[in-house]
Amino acid sequence: MPKNKTIIMLSAGHACVDVYQGAVAALLPFLVAERAYTYAAASGIVLAASLLSSVAQPLFGALTDRWALPWLLPVSTLLAGLGMALSGLSGSYPLTLALAAVSGIGIAAYHPESARVARIASEGSHTAMGWFSLGGNLGFAAAPLLVAAVVAVGGLRLTPLLAVPALVGSLLYLPVLRAPGGPARPAGGASPAGREDMVSFVRLSLAVTCRSVVFAGLSTFGALYVPARTGGGTAAGTAALSVLYLGGAAGTVLGGRLADRWDRVRVVRVSYLVSVAAVAGVVFVPGPMIYLFTALACLGLYVPFSLQVTLAQDYLPARVGTAGGVTLGLAVSVGGLSVPLIGAVADATSLQAALTPLVAMPALSWLLLRTLREPAGP
């Protein structure tokens, strides 16, 4: 299968999986409205989706470094969709948590193998990896609209309709898996073996984790925070989530373009500095301007997104599955672990007070990367 066609198919499949990461946050306002959840209880659902995902992703990454497991792509896509599709059918809080966890495991199984397959298909192109990452961002962006279209019409009882992207995504992967000499080749075939730089990989992973805390906080509580700052209702919150996710999609494409002109590490560092001011605007500036700062914050947070994946894979050239699983999955999922703490602080004080520490997180990412260098060649 031609490289461009393969990347497009992988990107579309990525969108069908990451729609379920965005759907968790998009469902929260409806769960709060129908089931009277507190901030802490609502954020516990995000924790359930993130916790098992965070634990499982390094394991799946290690497996994909040892064996090529392309069948994981359609299977994990279906699992991610199944958990989220069934989450609205029961008023039981523990069952809702369990179904969110099932969806999180599906997402965990997907990312390491998808990063390995995309790296093979991209043939080392940063721009191609950017397009692959773009698919996930578009899935995030579509999640609020999909959830609103389904749940706002018929309530949580219609959440089984959310399984449609999973069904589509699993079918999209079939031509990719059948392509001769494609993802079924040995897992190490995407990158030449070279010297590992574990110290730089750890610093990069910590920076991605700080970034994910910001994104998790904004995506989880943005739909609840923006209406209070603008005087709007649930629609205002849904619009803010769409701006947040669409800004991420634009940032991913921009990151790939910038990396063709300047080195990746420089682009990542500058992006995090921009994010500090943008997140401060989201938290402190009232009125409609919050939408502008939301878009700028997501641009700053997502310009580094695909660049961090390829940097990590180049720091661990013999373990691209692990590297991709950590930066594309684990470090992102870990951000969800901070959400219950943010929710508890919001219940005790105010949502603005709980979101204020997020301003410091991109600054920490910049500090971690301040002296980072481009990976050495093999």
Side-chain angles (χ1 to χ4, degrees):
M1 182 178 292
K3 180 180 76 172
N4 290 343
K5 185 175 180 181
T6 302
I7 288 294
I8 291 172
M9 300 289 279
L10 290 170
S11 180
H14 197 181
C16 292
V17 172
D18 276 6
V19 72
Y20 297 110
Q21 292 204 72
V24 177
L27 275 173
L28 292 186
F30 298 99
L31 291 169
V32 169
E34 287 197 26
R35 300 179 182 176
Y37 288 161
T38 64
Y39 286 140
S43 59
I45 296 171
V46 178
L47 174 63
S50 302
L51 185 57
L52 283 179
S53 180
S54 300
V55 172
Q57 289 204 57
L59 302 177
F60 283 111
L63 287 173
T64 60
D65 283 330
R66 189 178 180 100
W67 301 287
L69 303 172
W71 55 266
L72 268 180
L73 299 180
V75 171
S76 61
T77 300
L78 290 172
L79 193 62
L82 178 66
M84 198 55 55
L86 299 179
S87 63
L89 296 185
S90 171
S92 167
Y93 184 68
L95 182 56
T96 302
L97 293 178
L99 290 168
V102 167
S103 183
I105 291 174
I107 291 167
Y110 171 83
H111 281 105
E113 179 65 5
S114 68
R116 184 193 69 82
V117 172
R119 183 63 182 244
I120 293 172
S122 70
E123 299 176 359
S125 168
H126 302 317
T127 300
M129 284 297 289
W131 284 106
F132 167 69
S133 298
L134 172 66
N137 303 151
L138 291 177
F140 263 110
L145 302 178
L146 175 65
V147 170
V150 171
V151 181
V153 173
L156 294 173
R157 63 184 178 83
L158 292 185
T159 56
L161 293 176
L162 297 178
V164 171
L167 296 173
V168 172
S170 62
L171 293 175
L172 284 173
Y173 279 120
L174 295 181
V176 178
L177 301 184
R178 290 172 180 166
R185 71 182 69 177
S191 298
R195 183 173 63 86
E196 292 192 347
D197 187 350
M198 183 59 70
V199 172
S200 295
F201 174 74
V202 170
R203 288 169 59 191
L204 175 66
S205 299
L206 290 173
V208 177
T209 299
C210 292
R211 171 241 176 240
S212 74
V213 169
V214 182
F215 188 78
L218 293 180
S219 61
T220 300
F221 295 106
L224 301 172
Y225 184 65
V226 169
R229 301 292 285 173
T230 61
T234 303
T238 299
L241 276 181
S242 295
V243 169
L244 185 71
Y245 298 155
L246 288 172
T252 301
V253 175
L254 180 61
R257 297 295 184 185
L258 293 175
D260 288 335
R261 186 166 184 176
W262 295 288
D263 66 77
R264 291 169 291 176
V265 172
R266 182 189 303 181
V267 172
V268 171
R269 282 199 296 254
V270 172
S271 298
Y272 281 131
L273 283 179
V274 171
S275 298
V276 175
V279 175
V282 172
V283 176
F284 297 114
V285 176
M289 285 293 290
I290 197 171
Y291 292 105
L292 173 62
F293 283 109
T294 297
L296 291 176
C298 210
L299 276 173
L301 294 171
Y302 265 96
V303 162
F305 192 75
S306 66
L307 307 183
Q308 291 167 153
V309 176
T310 59
L311 278 169
Q313 291 176 328
D314 288 342
Y315 287 133
L316 299 182
R319 292 186 280 174
V320 296
T322 297
V326 170
T327 51
L328 192 61
L330 173 62
V332 174
S333 299
V334 166
L337 304 183
S338 67
V339 170
L341 176 61
I342 297 173
V345 173
D347 285 332
T349 56
S350 70
L351 196 48
Q352 185 180 53
L355 295 177
T356 296
L358 299 184
V359 179
M361 301 309 290
L364 289 177
S365 293
W366 178 82
L367 286 172
L368 285 163
L369 304 179
R370 188 173 61 87
T371 59
L372 201 70
R373 296 182 181 276
E374 281 283 325

